[in-house]
Amino acid sequence: MLAIIPSATLLGVEGRAVGVECHVSNGLPGFTVVGLPDTACREARDRVRAAVLSSGLTWPMRRVTVNLAPSGIRKTGAGLDLPIAIALLVATGDLDAEAVAGTAFIGELGLDGSVRRVPGTVPLVEAIPARTVVVPLECAAEAGLVGGPEVRGADSLASLLSCLKGNEGWPALPRLCPPPVPPPPDLSDVRGQEVGRAAVEVAAAGGHHLLLSGPPGAGKTMLARRLPGLLPPLERDDSLIATRVYSAAGLPLPEGLVTRAPFRAPHHGASVVSLIGGGSGWIRPGEISLSHAGVLFLDEMGEFPTTVLDSLRQPLEEGVVRVCRAKATVSFPARFLLIGATNPCPCGRGDDGGCRCSGASRARYVRRFSGPLLDRFDLRVVVSKPDVDELLRGGAGETTATVCERVAEARRRARVRGVRCNAELPARLLDYSVPLTPAASSLLEHKLRTNGLSARGLHRVRRVARTLADLAGEGDVVGEEHVCLALGLRAEPRLGEEGW
């Protein structure tokens, strides 16, 4: 007898519909899984057999063949355990086919018959064209975020069979209980650092990438960790994408949809795969995708391997990263705000004239920062040690709430231009969206003729000047003062030297 049960498998951050076909026939007893299963899928035969026996059912002493259709797509993970078990029970006649008509199943089976959670519940449920989907009970609240099919939960195979046969009712679905959210760190905690505070505000208002350089303890990390609090809540589309990425990565969603800008700060020992995404068996999203629509903070940026830093160049330009493998190509969203913090040299004392690094160590440090990568930073700011009087007796600066109002107004002006933030203004619209005064145009022309700017740098300076004008509440025309300030916030770094 043949039975077909709908389900789905995960490919990157997207779900792909799968039809689990089970055929039971006479012959030597055996259990075969075909259809490009990975190791976890292939091992489902042992988990399913133990779960069926633990649930008080009889294992058929016949030949069982399971096909995961379409056969040309690689099937990964253990989420197909439950649909394989249901298809087997329907094929052997232990479960009526009418009881599962129009119902899809997702879940991993334990040897005791329990139904366990699987990563990627949100994209998996989105990919299933069924009226009803049964998921592990602890994933039911996450599956309900999709808003498509009716979601039902199951905590064990035995209880699921009782519900399908009508012997007992379906269990109540758990609700998401958001934990109390601590208030984000406030910008008023930063004493002094007027240039650093202004750079963080401009970065948040315009979505501009920011590189902070200075000695240890100057406040680089303190400034960077206060930037996410300046960003507005995520729009609906960004919220859905971020939620899908978090679900595919197996990260918990205690608050339901991701509505606040994510903040990711990987260690400087992170590999290229952990940052970009990929993997041999399970193609997992990396840190740049987990920070989509949020902030990726690279502290101690000079300690990251050169290959890791240069791998950011293409995602910074395109907002997407493509992981290519022999049998699949996966695209991950990667539109993030990059904040880097680095010391001027390995010892960190290059800016005060007390550098103790050798020439060779400074040269190695410099080689980690390629010119094309530095050119992608709209803002490059030196953070000096705070003044003693400001540190001990200085008053508190503007609060995050005050700065948020200006950031929100700048973002509102950008939406009028058809983009989320000024950093996304296409080059073809700069003449229309960023008209310059004659003095500002002459200044930029001088920079180009003296090799002070590249073509990419010209576009980025104009976008930063547009953000500065928006924050100041100026009109549509960008003046010379805003271009001068944008150029000042884009200082040419002299990493490895005694100072910048």
Side-chain angles (χ1 to χ4, degrees), residues 36-80:
L36 282 184
D38 69 348
T39 303
C41 281
R42 195 175 297 111
E43 292 172 346
R45 57 190 179 191
D46 300 316
R47 291 191 297 270
V48 170
R49 183 177 186 276
V52 168
L53 294 176
S54 299
S55 301
L57 301 172
T58 302
W59 183 258
M61 299 304 295
R62 303 171 68 186
R63 183 166 186 81
V64 179
T65 303
V66 175
N67 179 44
L68 308 177
S71 301
I73 298 178
R74 186 78 172 174
K75 318 305 185 306
T76 61
L80 296 174

Side-chain angles (χ1 to χ4, degrees), residues 202 206 208 317 378 421-428 430 434 455-470 478 486:
V202 173
H208 304 292
E317 287 294 320
D378 300 347
C421 56
N422 290 327
E424 298 181 3
L425 283 171
R428 67 180 186 277
L430 287 180
V434 193
R456 182 193 292 117
L458 171 65
H459 295 158
R460 292 182 179 274
V461 167
R462 295 186 67 175
R463 295 183 183 108
V464 173
R466 176 74 274 168
T467 300
L468 290 168
D470 290 343
V478 176

Side-chain angles (χ1 to χ4, degrees), residues 135-155:
V135 299
L137 191 59
E138 53 184 326
C139 295
E142 183 178 336
L145 299 175
V146 177
E150 179 186 0
V151 176
R152 292 175 176 173
D155 56 1

Side-chain angles (χ1 to χ4, degrees), residues 196 198-213 224 227 231 288 291-298 301 309 312-320 334-341 372-382 411 421-425 456-457 459-461 463-464 467 486 488-491 500:
V200 167
E201 180 179 347
V202 173
H208 304 292
H209 306 305
L210 170 63
L211 177 63
L212 300 170
S213 176
L227 192 148
L231 298 176
I288 64 173
S291 59
H292 177 78
V295 177
L296 176 65
F297 176 43
L298 301 184
M301 193 172 177
L309 294 180
L312 297 172
R313 286 154 54 177
Q314 180 262 342
L316 285 173
E317 287 294 320
E318 299 187 10
V320 66
R335 185 178 52 79
F336 57 93
L337 176 58
L338 176 62
I339 307 297
L373 176 62
L374 291 175
D375 199 40
R376 284 167 168 81
F377 282 100
D378 300 347
L379 309 171
R380 300 193 290 246
V381 177
V382 178
R411 294 258 178 167
C421 56
N422 290 327
E424 298 181 3
L425 283 171
R456 182 193 292 117
H459 295 158
R460 292 182 179 274
V461 167
R463 295 183 183 108
V464 173
T467 300
L489 292 174
R490 190 182 169 82
W500 276 49

Side-chain angles (χ1 to χ4, degrees), residues 224-455:
R225 292 190 176 277
R226 278 150 181 78
L227 192 148
L230 302 177
L231 298 176
L234 299 185
E235 298 179 358
R236 177 68 178 178
D237 292 343
D238 289 334
S239 178
L240 291 174
I241 294 175
T243 302
R244 188 181 300 117
V245 172
Y246 268 62
S247 178
L251 299 181
L253 297 169
E255 302 178 22
L257 290 174
V258 178
T259 57
R260 295 184 299 172
F263 180 79
R264 306 291 297 183
H267 187 264
H268 56 75
S271 65
V272 174
V273 173
S274 68
L275 197 68
I276 299 299
S280 57
W282 173 28
I283 303 182
R284 183 184 186 276
E287 290 293 329
I288 64 173
S289 297
L290 292 171
S291 59
H292 177 78
V295 177
L296 176 65
F297 176 43
L298 301 184
D299 201 2
E300 301 295 341
M301 193 172 177
E303 301 299 330
F304 279 81
T306 303
T307 54
V308 173
L309 294 180
D310 284 340
S311 66
L312 297 172
R313 286 154 54 177
Q314 180 262 342
L316 285 173
E317 287 294 320
E318 299 187 10
V320 66
V321 59
R322 298 175 184 87
V323 179
C324 299
R325 295 292 183 264
K327 296 183 179 180
T329 299
V330 179
S331 296
F332 293 117
R335 185 178 52 79
F336 57 93
L337 176 58
L338 176 62
I339 307 297
T342 182
N343 297 323
C345 63
C347 75
R349 300 179 61 184
D351 64 337
D352 59 7
C355 181
R356 297 172 294 180
C357 302
S358 64
S361 64
R362 288 199 298 268
R364 286 194 299 270
Y365 199 75
V366 171
R367 283 196 295 268
R368 295 178 185 269
F369 298 88
S370 64
L373 176 62
L374 291 175
D375 199 40
R376 284 167 168 81
F377 282 100
D378 300 347
L379 309 171
R380 300 193 290 246
V381 177
V382 178
V383 180
S384 304
K385 290 182 179 179
D387 184 76
V388 176
D389 291 334
E390 291 180 338
L391 190 61
L392 297 179
R393 291 177 289 275
E398 287 185 308
T399 63
T400 294
T402 302
V403 179
C404 273
E405 295 178 0
R406 293 197 296 268
V407 171
E409 176 61 21
R411 294 258 178 167
R412 186 195 65 78
R413 293 191 176 195
R415 286 194 296 271
V416 173
R417 303 182 186 105
V419 293
R420 294 182 178 88
C421 56
N422 290 327
E424 298 181 3
L425 283 171
R428 67 180 186 277
L429 296 182
L430 287 180
D431 290 336
Y432 173 77
S433 300
V434 193
L436 301 175
T437 62
S441 298
S442 299
L443 178 59
L444 289 177
E445 181 179 355
H446 173 73
K447 283 290 184 180
L448 286 171
R449 293 188 181 276
T450 58
N451 294 324
L453 275 179
S454 64

